[in-house]
Amino acid sequence: MSKFKKKKSGAIPAISTASLPDIVFMLLFFFMTATTMKDSDLMIENRLPKADQTAKLHKKNYVMYIYAGKPKPNYASLGASDRIQLNDKISSVADIRSFVITERAERNSEDEKYLTASFKVDKDVRMGLIQDIKTELRKVEQLKVNYTTNQGNPLEK
């Protein structure tokens, strides 16, 4: 009968760490697949205007973004007037042509017909700058243009 008696020691058994590497790698793979890399560092203010009739772009890999606005306060050395940002650098209107050609070269020739220039323009940018950008896009025959906005009533502030 004595062989069925329990030990009366108060020691708690150690926690098994055998599955710890599996958990760590599972978390690592989750964050590798769920995380997206930031495309570009925005150096300009970008308060998008509101619109009540919008449509969503479905194939974002065929979009090249053109940002326009005043430089952010930490980039005050760029001046106070409206600027254009292409990828990660402040550019001029004359640089748009080479930007579009470079974007087209990075894609297949079959995908060029789907390539869209998307304007992410601050709501206080003067229209003359946008017209200059559109003129340069016409010169390089980039005719698919999209204006990025926020959903809402355009008459409200």
Side-chain angles (χ1 to χ4, degrees):
M1 213 121 168
S2 65
K3 65 180 181 179
F4 293 111
K5 290 183 180 177
K6 293 184 179 178
K7 290 185 178 179
K8 293 191 177 186
S9 67
I12 299 174
I15 296 173
S16 174
T17 59
S19 63
L20 190 61
D22 295 336
I23 295 170
V24 169
F25 281 111
M26 192 175 1
L27 285 171
L28 177 71
F29 288 133
F30 170 76
F31 286 116
M32 285 174 53
T33 56
T35 305
T36 58
M37 300 301 285
K38 191 175 181 182
D39 288 338
S40 61
D41 183 27
L42 205 54
M43 293 184 264
I44 59 169
E45 292 179 3
N46 199 304
R47 295 166 303 176
L48 297 175
K50 292 182 180 180
D52 56 2
Q53 296 179 5
T54 60
K56 198 168 203 168
L57 286 175
H58 294 291
K59 295 184 179 182
K60 291 189 178 182
N61 54 340
Y62 297 128
V63 178
M64 58 182 163
Y65 293 102
I66 300 173
Y67 301 94
K70 294 190 185 327
K72 287 185 176 179
N74 52 343
Y75 295 103
S77 62
L78 298 172
S81 63
D82 296 335
R83 300 283 183 197
I84 300 170
Q85 180 178 345
L86 305 172
N87 289 336
D88 272 340
K89 68 176 193 169
I90 298 293
S91 305
S92 66
V93 176
D95 296 332
I96 292 174
R97 185 177 287 188
S98 62
F99 172 70
V100 172
I101 291 170
T102 304
E103 288 288 321
R104 285 179 181 167
E106 291 175 359
R107 291 169 170 78
N108 297 336
S109 60
E110 300 157 358
D111 295 341
E112 282 184 24
K113 59 186 171 189
Y114 301 117
L115 192 61
T116 304
S118 181
F119 293 153
K120 286 194 170 186
V121 179
D122 188 70
K123 61 183 175 182
D124 295 329
V125 170
R126 59 183 180 84
M127 195 61 195
L129 179 63
I130 297 170
Q131 190 62 37
D132 293 343
I133 294 170
K134 288 171 53 177
T135 302
E136 284 298 313
L137 290 173
R138 273 190 225 115
K139 288 179 184 176
V140 77
E141 295 182 9
Q142 177 60 48
L143 304 177
K144 283 185 107 176
V145 176
N146 173 45
Y147 291 93
T148 304
T149 64
N150 288 330
Q151 182 74 27
N153 187 355
L155 300 177
E156 291 178 358
K157 285 200 172 193

